Amino acid sequence: SNLTISTGTLTPAFSSSTTSYTDSVSNSVTSVTVTPTANQASSTITVNSSTVVSGSASGPIALNVGSNTVLTVVTAQNGVAQDTYTITVTRTDTPSVAMTAPANLATVSSTITLSASSSAVSPASIASVQFYLDGSPLGAPVTSTSSPNTYSYSWNTASSTNGTHTLYALATDNYSNTASSSPITVTVANQAVLLIPTSTLSFSAVHGSTATSSQSIVITNNGTAFTTLNWSASSTQTWLTFSKSSSSI
């Protein structure tokens, strides 16, 4: 009168007149049980040749990756009439994923495109690809492809410090199977830029001295050329001193 499985859902829904069913489960599911219920209490039931009491779960049935057949045989009291129900359980495989851009050991700057190639094994399909920067998620998971099997994300490298960083991609399919790409290493090298807003500095002479209302200020970057900002300000006037912060005088 009924047939259920411990993980997943039988397709189609059980009917005593339907004898063939399918079910697909995550790769993490290594076994299932089946619970058959007979119309007649006098019937005997076996699941993969092991006797099962009507209305009780079978023993664990080990699953290989791929297709697995589970046979439930219901035998009438006369020992002759039999009904055989077949469940084909597919234990899905893990997806594949690999970083395709940028190249390992590349030097990057400004905004670049991160790309990863990912595919799932039928009947699964890729649900998302998440890029990671130094072990932390970079933006939101990518759920659509930029080209067949390719998932892309636009990374503004200026949001990261100059230096070496690690990138990898994590693929997840619609059965919650996951796989990580091999990590790649990139060097972020954005040019250091000091923006100096135009403003007017007013000076007042102390008693007995004179000073013009404008003075020349020299702004110098003492850091490594192009990539490191360590600026200073100076003047020919000994009485004019500067208090430097990260971005202003």
Side-chain angles (χ1 to χ4, degrees):
S1 62
N2 199 14
L3 182 64
T4 61
I5 194 166
S6 58
T7 305
T9 304
L10 293 184
T11 302
F14 179 76
S15 169
S16 58
S17 60
T18 302
T19 59
S20 294
Y21 301 88
T22 61
D23 182 27
S24 296
V25 298
S26 169
N27 181 262
S28 62
V29 178
T30 58
S31 66
V32 294
T33 61
V34 169
T35 302
T37 303
N39 280 325
Q40 301 296 325
S42 57
S43 299
T44 58
I45 305 173
T46 63
V47 175
N48 281 6
S49 302
S50 296
T51 300
V52 176
V53 175
S54 177
S56 299
S58 68
I61 302 165
L63 299 177
N64 297 315
V65 174
S67 180
N68 301 264
T69 301
V70 180
L71 294 177
T72 299
V73 179
V74 181
T75 305
Q77 185 178 16
N78 61 16
V80 177
Q82 286 187 334
D83 290 316
T84 300
Y85 299 93
T86 302
I87 305 174
T88 302
V89 182
T90 300
R91 180 185 170 193
T92 54
D93 206 346
T94 54
S96 63
V97 60
M99 290 288 298
T100 56
N104 189 34
L105 303 181
T107 297
V108 297
S109 61
S110 302
T111 298
I112 66 168
T113 298
L114 305 181
S115 295
S117 176
S118 183
S119 60
V121 180
S122 181
S125 59
I126 296 298
S128 67
V129 171
Q130 174 70 66
F131 291 95
Y132 282 79
L133 171 66
D134 297 329
S136 298
L138 184 59
V142 182
T143 57
S144 58
T145 56
S146 55
S147 61
N149 297 328
T150 300
Y151 295 79
S152 300
Y153 177 79
S154 183
W155 175 34
N156 180 8
T157 64
S159 62
S160 302
T161 58
N162 282 344
T164 301
H165 297 274
T166 301
L167 295 164
Y168 73 90
L170 174 71
T172 304
D173 68 22
N174 59 331
Y175 285 91
S176 297
N177 300 316
T178 61
S180 296
S181 71
S182 297
I184 65 170
T185 299
V186 298
T187 299
V188 172
N190 284 302
Q191 183 172 348
V193 178
L194 175 62
L195 300 178
I196 306 173
T198 301
S199 59
T200 300
L201 299 178
S202 297
F203 305 95
S204 298
V206 297
H207 181 70
S209 301
T210 61
T212 60
S213 60
S214 64
Q215 300 291 339
S216 297
I217 299 174
V218 178
I219 305 295
T220 304
N221 180 23
N222 301 314
T224 304
F226 303 117
T227 60
T228 305
L229 189 62
N230 181 21
W231 65 273
S232 63
S234 61
S235 172
T236 58
Q237 303 299 313
T238 58
W239 56 270
L240 187 58
T241 60
F242 304 93
S243 175
K244 184 188 75 170
S245 63
S246 62
S247 60
S248 63
I249 301 176

